[in-house]
């Protein structure tokens, strides 16, 4: 309190000091931004083979992408989508420019005639695409007002996108033409699929030697990683561990919340209008719907149907609230209903193309009701002539057996609370409905419940205590061993590994670029500890590993992949050392195995019954003539020796074009992504996105 009083007394003086400090900070930034001494503002998101992507342009596209994705769109997702699109565009542009490829105006016009064919703005009186209409549209958006400039920019972007699409399509077609499969390749594919062999074989499985009998050292794993770097290269990564301190109510806060709700018992019980009382005294509004037993909240389900009208159940806790529930009314209610309707919408009715005011729509609805009440057989005709609900016109306006909460409230109430056969006019946000109730079934008990809800508030004292606890833990973790401090305090230190520089989601925390940016920041080093405000919580984070350059996986990370490979190699060597003899029978006898047979093997499906998929073994067998044997072969699942019993070549064909065409089709489907991946792999890319997001 003394400190607060001191601040109040010196308020003006402190404001002046803070203002001067901020001014100095801003001035320093302005000066440095204009100098070349390392203070220049970074304005490049990426450099792709020398082509710069500017920060302003990239951020604008990200904002547009987020708007396109809708409310609550994930920024990281939008960034990645824009990045993939921009990277592909730049790489393809560089390729087409290097080849001197261009797009003619005729090609653009032809593409526009296809893309805009179904847009009424660009159609003539016959509903066909009109180039004159397109020219007319472009002329109409040439104004200097903001709306016209925005439309013109959108149109120019569309034309540029169309041009890029044509260029990329032409490039892909050119590559496809160069990769066309020949008839010789078609014949080879035919042979792979249809030539067959019958074999005898001996198979000594690797499982014959226990894993524990074969040792694979960390040094051997490390050597394998270095010998196969592309397989084990990883992008910059960090590992962290954290302890979370949630800003949640204390036991005292919970008891205070319960007492506050309990204090309303008498007033709520005496209230004649329970709905109005809830509206004035609850954190949630009153729900005037009927509720079937199956839809009642679990907390009151077993009680609320068995207490008298006007009785109150509670206080009871649901999540972070305390509640009082009062039975307002009860009845038997159908589980589902069936009705038909004629919708007279406000504004334009697509059925008869007439625009109506609310008064006109109501007058028409009442008139139609009079007609169909007098003669129900005219209902279907009236639906066809007047209804603005395309979803029910074909069924004569009928909606079959819908649940209570499916329709908007007025439509629902008329269908469920009236009687079968009732007809009337109901107003909803869609317009006026002439409704006939056709059926109701499966009646069950239902109640209307008024519930006073109070959120359990976390008091200032509790918030202060949580902040203090988090700050003390942060200080102790900086000066001690993180896990020991966490264990001593009874906290759970949660590790998160392999976080990428552009990741956004942290398991257990959620989207949080601040933590990731801190971990990858130039100032952060392994062992550093920092505290972050995250979603009504404090998170104290320690950086446990940091790799800022592309690197190879560690032995521990790659062990699960490499160990089985090296283990099987060693097992194969041991098996070979134990084999004696040169024939299948000799090998089988020396290993106590059986000589087995397999028929109709092909190279396109190299699966040996009883052994598994073995492409190397089947391929080696196809290299032998009938009666010949292979040497020992190290396969996927064990060590083999194979003898070819018969080679059954498929009959020659007059033409292998069908198989060549199949190869072309298979290659064509994936060629776009393969080309992009190849260009990306060969490109010199400086990716600075993490500096901005």
């Amino acid at each position: 309190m003394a400190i607060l009083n001191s601040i109040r007394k010196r308020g003006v003086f402190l404001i002046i000091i803070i203002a001067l400090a901020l001014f100095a900070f801003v001035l320093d930034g302005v000066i440095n931004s204009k100098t070349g001494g390392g203070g220049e503002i970074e304005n490049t998101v990426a450099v792709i083979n020398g082509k710069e992507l500017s920060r302003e342009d990239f951020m604008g596209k990200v904002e547009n992408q987020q708007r396109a994705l809708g409310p609550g769109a994930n920024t990281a997702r939008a960034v990645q989508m824009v990045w993939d699109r921009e990277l592909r565009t730049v790489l393809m542009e560089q390729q087409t420019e290097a080849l001197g490829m261009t797009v003619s105006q005729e090609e653009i016009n032809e593409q526009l005639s296809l893309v805009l064919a179904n847009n009424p703005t660009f159609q003539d009186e016959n509903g066909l695409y009109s180039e004159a209409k397109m020219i007319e549209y472009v002329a109409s958006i040439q104004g200097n007002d903001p709306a016209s400039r925005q439309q013109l920019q959108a149109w120019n972007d569309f034309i540029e996108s169309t041009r890029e699409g044509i260029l990329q399509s032409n490039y892909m077609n050119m590559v496809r033409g160069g990769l066309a499969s020949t008839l010789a390749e078609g014949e080879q594919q035919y042979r792979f699929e249809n030539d067959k062999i019958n074999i005898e074989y001996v198979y000594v499985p690797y499982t014959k030697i226990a894993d524990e009998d074969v040792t694979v050292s960390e040094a051997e794993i490390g050597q394998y990683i270095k010998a196969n770097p592309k397989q084990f290269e990883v992008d910059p990564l960090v590992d962290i561990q954290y302890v979370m301190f949630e800003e949640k109510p204390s036991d005292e806060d919970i008891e205070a919340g319960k007492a506050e709700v309990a204090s309303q018992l008498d007033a709520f019980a005496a209230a004649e209008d329970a709905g109005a009382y809830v509206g004035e005294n609850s954190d949630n509004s009153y729900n005037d719907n009927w509720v079937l037993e199956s839809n009642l909240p679990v907390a009151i389900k077993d009680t609320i149907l068995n207490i008298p009208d006007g009785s109150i159940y509670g206080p009871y806790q649901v999540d972070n609230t305390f509640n009082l529930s009062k039975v307002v009314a009860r009845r038997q209610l159908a589980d589902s209903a069936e009705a038909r309707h004629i919708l007279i919408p406000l504004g334009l009715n697509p059925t008869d193309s007439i625009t109506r005011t609310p008064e006109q729509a109501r007058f028409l609805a009442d008139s139609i009701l009079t007609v169909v009440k007098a003669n129900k057989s005219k209902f279907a005709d009236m639906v066809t002539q007047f209804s603005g609900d395309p979803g029910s016109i074909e069924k004569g306006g009928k909606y079959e057996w819908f649940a209570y909460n499916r329709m908007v409230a007025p439509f629902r109430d008329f269908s469920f609370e009236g009687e079968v056969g009732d007809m009337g006019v109901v107003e909803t946000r869609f317009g006026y409905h002439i409704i006939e109730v056709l059926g109701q079934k499966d009646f069950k008990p239902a109640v209307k419940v008024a519930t006073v809800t109070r959120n359990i508030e976390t008091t200032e004292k509790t918030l202060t205590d949580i902040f203090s606890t988090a700050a003390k833990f942060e200080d102790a973790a900086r000066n001690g061993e993180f896990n020991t401090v966490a264990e001593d305090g009874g906290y759970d230190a949660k590790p998160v590994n392999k976080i990428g520089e552009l990741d956004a989601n942290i398991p257990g925390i959620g989207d949080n670029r601040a933590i990731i940016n801190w971990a990858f920041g130039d100032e952060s080093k392994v062992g550093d500890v920092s505290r972050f405000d995250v979603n009504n919580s404090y998170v104290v984070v320690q950086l446990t590993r940091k790799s800022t350059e592309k690197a190879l996986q560690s032995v521990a990370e790659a062990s699960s992949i490499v160990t089985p490979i090296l283990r099987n190699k060693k097992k194969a060597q041991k098996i070979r050392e134990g084999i004696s003899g040169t024939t299948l029978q000799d090998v089988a006898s020396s290993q106590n195995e059986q000589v087995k047979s397999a028929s109709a093997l092909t190279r396109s499906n190299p699966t040996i019954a009883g052994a598994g998929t073995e492409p190397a073994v089947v391929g080696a067998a196809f290299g032998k003539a009938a009666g010949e044997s292979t040497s020992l072969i190290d396969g996927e699942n064990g060590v083999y020796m194979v003898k070819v019993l018969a080679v059954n070549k498929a009959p020659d064909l007059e033409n292998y074009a069908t198989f060549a065409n199949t190869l072309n089709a298979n290659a064509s489907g994936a060629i776009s992504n393969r080309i992009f991946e190849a260009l990306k792999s060969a490109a010199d890319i400086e990716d600075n996105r993490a500096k901005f997001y």
Side-chain angles (χ1 to χ4, degrees):
M1 187 63 70
I3 294 174
L4 290 174
N5 288 333
S6 178
I7 290 174
R8 292 191 187 101
K9 292 176 183 177
R10 297 170 174 82
V12 175
F13 178 69
L14 287 172
I15 289 170
I16 294 171
I17 291 176
I18 292 170
L20 289 172
L22 286 172
F23 177 75
F25 175 77
V26 172
L27 182 63
D28 178 67
V30 170
I31 293 172
N32 284 336
S33 70
K34 297 179 180 179
T35 67
E40 218 171 306
I41 296 174
E42 180 69 58
N43 199 40
T44 304
V45 169
V47 183
I48 306 167
N49 289 332
K51 167 79 173 182
E52 294 185 355
L53 298 184
S54 74
R55 175 177 60 86
E56 293 87 353
D57 183 57
F58 191 86
M59 286 183 169
K61 290 176 179 177
V62 169
E63 289 175 6
N64 292 337
Q65 184 64 59
Q66 281 188 280
R67 281 195 291 271
L69 290 173
N74 183 284
T75 301
R77 182 186 174 200
V79 169
Q80 189 60 47
M81 291 175 72
V82 172
W83 169 251
D84 290 340
R85 190 163 59 241
E86 292 297 295
L87 181 58
R88 181 183 290 271
T89 298
V90 171
L91 292 175
M92 293 303 298
E93 278 183 351
Q94 291 172 342
Q95 289 295 303
T96 55
E97 286 176 7
L99 294 169
M101 297 177 68
T102 58
V103 176
S104 67
Q105 188 60 47
E106 288 76 12
E107 287 179 290
I108 293 177
N109 290 341
E110 182 180 354
Q111 185 65 17
L112 291 177
S113 71
L114 298 173
V115 175
L116 302 176
N118 295 320
N119 190 320
T121 303
F122 305 97
Q123 293 175 343
D124 60 18
E125 61 275 7
N126 298 315
L128 301 176
Y129 172 77
S130 168
E131 188 171 333
K133 287 286 187 180
M134 184 267 287
I135 295 172
E136 181 183 313
Y137 170 77
V138 175
S140 72
I141 58 174
Q142 297 290 333
N144 289 320
D145 58 289
S148 295
R149 288 198 297 270
Q150 187 175 11
Q151 285 180 297
L152 183 60
Q153 182 60 52
W155 174 259
N156 290 336
D157 290 344
F158 170 67
I159 294 298
E160 179 60 22
S161 174
T162 301
R163 186 191 70 82
E164 290 173 359
I166 296 170
L167 265 179
Q168 291 185 21
S169 178
N170 291 344
Y171 178 85
M172 292 299 175
N173 289 334
M174 183 181 67
V175 175
R176 286 189 185 95
L179 295 177
S181 298
T182 64
L183 291 178
E185 290 171 319
E187 180 180 5
Q188 182 184 58
Q189 184 63 26
Y190 169 73
R191 295 293 172 197
F192 268 51
E193 293 179 12
N194 294 283
D195 287 352
K196 298 175 182 178
I197 59 172
N198 300 335
I199 65 170
E200 285 184 334
Y201 68 95
V202 176
Y203 157 54
V204 185
Y206 294 137
T207 54
K208 194 166 187 178
I209 300 175
D211 289 352
E212 54 266 27
D213 293 338
V214 179
T215 303
V216 177
S217 68
E218 291 187 356
E220 290 171 322
I221 296 173
Q223 290 173 359
Y224 187 91
I225 294 169
K226 290 178 182 178
N228 301 273
K230 286 192 174 294
Q231 187 178 350
F232 299 100
E233 189 176 64
V234 292
D235 290 325
L237 296 171
V238 295
D239 296 346
I240 65 169
Q241 59 180 344
Y242 70 90
V243 171
M244 180 176 286
F245 299 86
E246 296 183 66
E247 290 183 332
K248 59 183 181 181
S250 65
D251 291 342
E252 291 79 6
D253 297 339
I254 293 172
E255 287 301 317
K258 183 177 181 180
E260 181 187 356
V261 171
S263 68
Q264 298 189 56
L265 267 169
D266 294 339
F268 191 26
E272 293 184 4
D273 188 339
Y277 185 90
V278 168
E280 295 173 1
N281 297 280
S282 175
D283 289 333
N284 292 339
S285 58
Y286 172 61
N287 185 349
D288 193 35
N289 295 343
W290 291 101
V291 184
L292 293 167
E293 179 181 8
S294 58
N295 295 325
L296 284 168
V298 174
I300 62 175
K301 196 170 194 174
D302 296 333
T303 305
I304 209 72
L305 289 173
N306 299 315
I307 61 176
D309 291 1
S311 299
I312 295 176
Y313 174 68
Y316 62 91
Q317 185 175 356
V318 176
D319 297 327
N320 203 40
T321 66
F322 274 110
N323 306 269
L324 298 173
S325 288
K326 183 178 185 179
V327 179
V328 175
R330 68 180 72 240
R331 63 171 292 170
Q332 294 290 311
L333 188 73
D335 179 72
S336 55
E338 189 173 41
R340 60 178 177 173
H341 80 132
I342 304 163
L343 171 62
I344 309 301
L346 305 182
L348 178 66
N349 187 342
T351 304
D352 55 21
S353 301
I354 295 174
T355 300
R356 295 184 177 88
T357 65
E359 294 76 18
Q360 291 169 331
R362 177 71 203 217
F363 179 80
L364 178 59
D366 289 338
S367 301
I368 293 173
L369 177 64
T370 301
V371 172
V372 295
K373 268 190 172 182
N375 187 350
K376 289 187 178 182
S377 65
K378 293 186 177 181
F379 201 102
D381 291 338
M382 293 293 180
V383 169
T384 304
Q385 185 176 353
F386 294 107
S387 184
D389 177 16
S392 66
I393 289 176
E394 290 185 1
K395 295 182 178 180
K398 187 176 181 181
Y399 279 104
E400 298 176 343
W401 302 120
F402 49 89
Y404 179 73
N405 288 317
R406 180 182 168 188
M407 301 297 186
V408 290
F411 193 110
R412 174 202 67 201
D413 293 345
F414 190 90
S415 301
F416 281 85
E417 297 181 24
E419 302 291 334
V420 174
D422 283 356
M423 297 180 71
V425 174
V426 168
E427 181 183 2
T428 73
R429 67 176 184 270
F430 301 108
Y432 291 95
H433 306 254
I434 302 94
I435 303 174
E436 180 184 6
V437 182
L438 299 177
Q440 298 167 340
K441 64 180 181 180
D442 297 335
F443 283 81
K444 297 175 182 176
V447 292
K448 283 189 177 181
V449 180
T451 299
V452 174
T453 298
R454 282 294 190 187
N455 297 321
I456 302 171
E457 300 293 340
T458 307
T459 62
E460 286 297 326
K461 177 183 181 303
T462 299
L463 292 173
T464 301
D465 291 343
I466 294 169
F467 172 81
S468 176
T469 301
K472 288 178 181 177
F473 177 85
E474 177 190 14
D475 185 62
R478 279 179 173 164
N479 296 299
E481 204 282 317
F482 192 93
N483 286 292
T484 301
V485 174
E487 187 176 342
D488 290 346
Y491 306 118
D492 182 19
K494 298 177 181 178
V496 182
N497 299 327
K498 298 182 181 179
I499 301 173
E501 192 172 14
L502 289 168
D503 287 349
N505 185 272
I506 302 174
I509 295 176
D511 285 354
N512 196 289
R513 286 292 303 161
I515 294 175
I516 296 171
N517 288 335
W518 165 78
F520 278 98
D522 294 337
E523 302 298 320
S524 300
K525 59 184 183 295
V526 173
D528 282 358
V529 173
S530 188
R531 173 169 43 84
F532 298 87
D533 295 353
V534 178
N535 300 328
N536 298 319
S537 301
Y538 298 105
V539 179
V540 180
V541 183
Q542 183 184 48
L543 181 60
T544 56
R545 187 185 70 152
K546 183 174 185 178
S547 171
T548 57
E549 303 291 338
K550 281 195 172 184
L552 297 179
Q553 288 183 0
S554 67
V555 169
E557 290 170 330
S559 178
S560 61
I561 297 173
V562 177
T563 298
I565 297 172
L566 297 181
R567 185 189 290 132
N568 284 347
K569 283 186 176 181
K570 291 190 173 187
K571 286 184 177 183
Q573 183 61 35
K574 282 180 173 288
I575 290 170
R576 284 171 172 270
E577 291 171 356
I579 290 176
S580 59
T582 57
T583 68
L584 263 64
Q585 291 294 343
D586 292 339
V587 172
S589 298
S590 68
Q591 293 295 306
N592 196 27
E593 297 290 344
Q594 298 289 323
V595 175
K596 300 177 182 178
S597 62
S599 301
L601 300 180
T602 66
R603 280 166 287 185
S604 64
N605 183 25
T607 300
I608 302 174
T613 302
E614 293 288 359
V617 177
V618 174
F622 265 93
K624 298 294 182 180
E628 293 182 344
S629 298
T630 68
S631 57
L632 294 175
I633 306 168
D634 296 345
E636 298 291 325
N637 305 295
V639 177
Y640 295 78
M641 179 179 280
V642 178
K643 180 178 181 180
V644 179
L645 298 178
V647 177
N648 301 312
K649 285 197 172 183
D652 294 341
L653 301 179
E654 289 185 6
N655 191 298
Y656 297 95
T658 300
F659 289 89
N661 291 338
T662 300
L663 290 174
N664 287 335
N666 292 340
S668 178
I671 196 169
S672 178
N673 284 335
R674 288 180 179 177
I675 289 174
F676 174 57
E677 291 300 324
L679 293 175
K680 185 167 66 172
S681 177
D684 181 13
I685 301 173
E686 178 188 331
D687 186 354
N688 300 320
R689 283 178 291 160
K691 296 179 180 179
F692 303 99
Y693 295 97

mmCIF file of all heavy atoms in Angstrom, residues 200-211:
data_model
loop_
_atom_site.group_PDB
_atom_site.id
_atom_site.type_symbol
_atom_site.label_atom_id
_atom_site.label_comp_id
_atom_site.label_asym_id
_atom_site.label_seq_id
_atom_site.Cartn_x
_atom_site.Cartn_y
_atom_site.Cartn_z
ATOM 1 N N GLU A 200 11.215 -73.039 -56.105
ATOM 2 C CA GLU A 200 11.425 -73.662 -54.801
ATOM 3 C C GLU A 200 12.370 -72.751 -54.037
ATOM 4 O O GLU A 200 13.240 -72.115 -54.643
ATOM 5 C CB GLU A 200 12.044 -75.048 -54.949
ATOM 6 C CG GLU A 200 11.102 -76.131 -55.425
ATOM 7 C CD GLU A 200 11.764 -77.490 -55.451
ATOM 8 O OE1 GLU A 200 13.002 -77.543 -55.580
ATOM 9 O OE2 GLU A 200 11.045 -78.492 -55.343
ATOM 10 N N TYR A 201 12.213 -72.700 -52.728
ATOM 11 C CA TYR A 201 13.096 -71.809 -51.978
ATOM 12 C C TYR A 201 13.276 -72.288 -50.545
ATOM 13 O O TYR A 201 12.446 -73.021 -50.005
ATOM 14 C CB TYR A 201 12.547 -70.384 -51.972
ATOM 15 C CG TYR A 201 11.269 -70.204 -51.181
ATOM 16 C CD1 TYR A 201 11.316 -69.780 -49.847
ATOM 17 C CD2 TYR A 201 10.025 -70.464 -51.742
ATOM 18 C CE1 TYR A 201 10.153 -69.608 -49.107
ATOM 19 C CE2 TYR A 201 8.856 -70.299 -51.013
ATOM 20 C CZ TYR A 201 8.927 -69.868 -49.703
ATOM 21 O OH TYR A 201 7.775 -69.719 -48.969
ATOM 22 N N VAL A 202 14.392 -71.861 -49.977
ATOM 23 C CA VAL A 202 14.651 -72.031 -48.547
ATOM 24 C C VAL A 202 14.707 -70.634 -47.944
ATOM 25 O O VAL A 202 15.351 -69.740 -48.491
ATOM 26 C CB VAL A 202 15.978 -72.760 -48.289
ATOM 27 C CG1 VAL A 202 16.252 -72.831 -46.784
ATOM 28 C CG2 VAL A 202 15.946 -74.142 -48.880
ATOM 29 N N TYR A 203 14.038 -70.503 -46.831
ATOM 30 C CA TYR A 203 13.917 -69.182 -46.192
ATOM 31 C C TYR A 203 14.270 -69.333 -44.720
ATOM 32 O O TYR A 203 13.644 -70.080 -43.990
ATOM 33 C CB TYR A 203 12.481 -68.688 -46.388
ATOM 34 C CG TYR A 203 11.969 -67.664 -45.405
ATOM 35 C CD1 TYR A 203 12.642 -66.479 -45.157
ATOM 36 C CD2 TYR A 203 10.746 -67.885 -44.750
ATOM 37 C CE1 TYR A 203 12.126 -65.546 -44.279
ATOM 38 C CE2 TYR A 203 10.225 -66.956 -43.877
ATOM 39 C CZ TYR A 203 10.914 -65.780 -43.637
ATOM 40 O OH TYR A 203 10.406 -64.867 -42.775
ATOM 41 N N VAL A 204 15.353 -68.633 -44.300
ATOM 42 C CA VAL A 204 15.754 -68.629 -42.887
ATOM 43 C C VAL A 204 15.384 -67.262 -42.319
ATOM 44 O O VAL A 204 16.045 -66.262 -42.617
ATOM 45 C CB VAL A 204 17.259 -68.886 -42.713
ATOM 46 C CG1 VAL A 204 17.613 -68.994 -41.229
ATOM 47 C CG2 VAL A 204 17.691 -70.133 -43.463
ATOM 48 N N PRO A 205 14.322 -67.172 -41.531
ATOM 49 C CA PRO A 205 13.837 -65.860 -41.076
ATOM 50 C C PRO A 205 14.790 -65.215 -40.078
ATOM 51 O O PRO A 205 15.459 -65.900 -39.295
ATOM 52 C CB PRO A 205 12.492 -66.185 -40.435
ATOM 53 C CG PRO A 205 12.603 -67.607 -40.018
ATOM 54 C CD PRO A 205 13.482 -68.284 -41.039
ATOM 55 N N TYR A 206 14.808 -63.887 -40.098
ATOM 56 C CA TYR A 206 15.635 -63.156 -39.133
ATOM 57 C C TYR A 206 15.160 -63.399 -37.703
ATOM 58 O O TYR A 206 15.952 -63.309 -36.758
ATOM 59 C CB TYR A 206 15.586 -61.649 -39.439
ATOM 60 C CG TYR A 206 16.210 -61.268 -40.761
ATOM 61 C CD1 TYR A 206 15.596 -60.339 -41.601
ATOM 62 C CD2 TYR A 206 17.421 -61.820 -41.176
ATOM 63 C CE1 TYR A 206 16.168 -59.971 -42.810
ATOM 64 C CE2 TYR A 206 17.999 -61.466 -42.385
ATOM 65 C CZ TYR A 206 17.356 -60.545 -43.200
ATOM 66 O OH TYR A 206 17.929 -60.197 -44.397
ATOM 67 N N THR A 207 13.886 -63.707 -37.544
ATOM 68 C CA THR A 207 13.350 -63.939 -36.197
ATOM 69 C C THR A 207 13.933 -65.186 -35.539
ATOM 70 O O THR A 207 13.727 -65.407 -34.350
ATOM 71 C CB THR A 207 11.819 -64.072 -36.261
ATOM 72 O OG1 THR A 207 11.461 -65.086 -37.214
ATOM 73 C CG2 THR A 207 11.174 -62.751 -36.660
ATOM 74 N N LYS A 208 14.660 -65.987 -36.326
ATOM 75 C CA LYS A 208 15.284 -67.189 -35.750
ATOM 76 C C LYS A 208 16.368 -66.811 -34.745
ATOM 77 O O LYS A 208 16.717 -67.584 -33.855
ATOM 78 C CB LYS A 208 15.871 -68.049 -36.873
ATOM 79 C CG LYS A 208 16.240 -69.454 -36.451
ATOM 80 C CD LYS A 208 16.477 -70.334 -37.651
ATOM 81 C CE LYS A 208 16.676 -71.794 -37.213
ATOM 82 N NZ LYS A 208 16.856 -72.682 -38.378
ATOM 83 N N ILE A 209 16.914 -65.596 -34.909
ATOM 84 C CA ILE A 209 17.918 -65.090 -33.964
ATOM 85 C C ILE A 209 17.250 -64.014 -33.114
ATOM 86 O O ILE A 209 16.669 -63.067 -33.642
ATOM 87 C CB ILE A 209 19.129 -64.503 -34.711
ATOM 88 C CG1 ILE A 209 19.781 -65.581 -35.576
ATOM 89 C CG2 ILE A 209 20.129 -63.903 -33.728
ATOM 90 C CD1 ILE A 209 20.917 -65.060 -36.436
ATOM 91 N N ALA A 210 17.302 -64.173 -31.818
ATOM 92 C CA ALA A 210 16.664 -63.215 -30.906
ATOM 93 C C ALA A 210 17.328 -61.843 -31.019
ATOM 94 O O ALA A 210 18.553 -61.747 -31.212
ATOM 95 C CB ALA A 210 16.745 -63.725 -29.476
ATOM 96 N N ASP A 211 16.513 -60.794 -30.908
ATOM 97 C CA ASP A 211 17.044 -59.434 -31.000
ATOM 98 C C ASP A 211 18.124 -59.170 -29.966
ATOM 99 O O ASP A 211 19.119 -58.483 -30.245
ATOM 100 C CB ASP A 211 15.904 -58.417 -30.820
ATOM 101 C CG ASP A 211 14.967 -58.371 -32.014
ATOM 102 O OD1 ASP A 211 15.283 -59.009 -33.038
ATOM 103 O OD2 ASP A 211 13.916 -57.697 -31.915
#
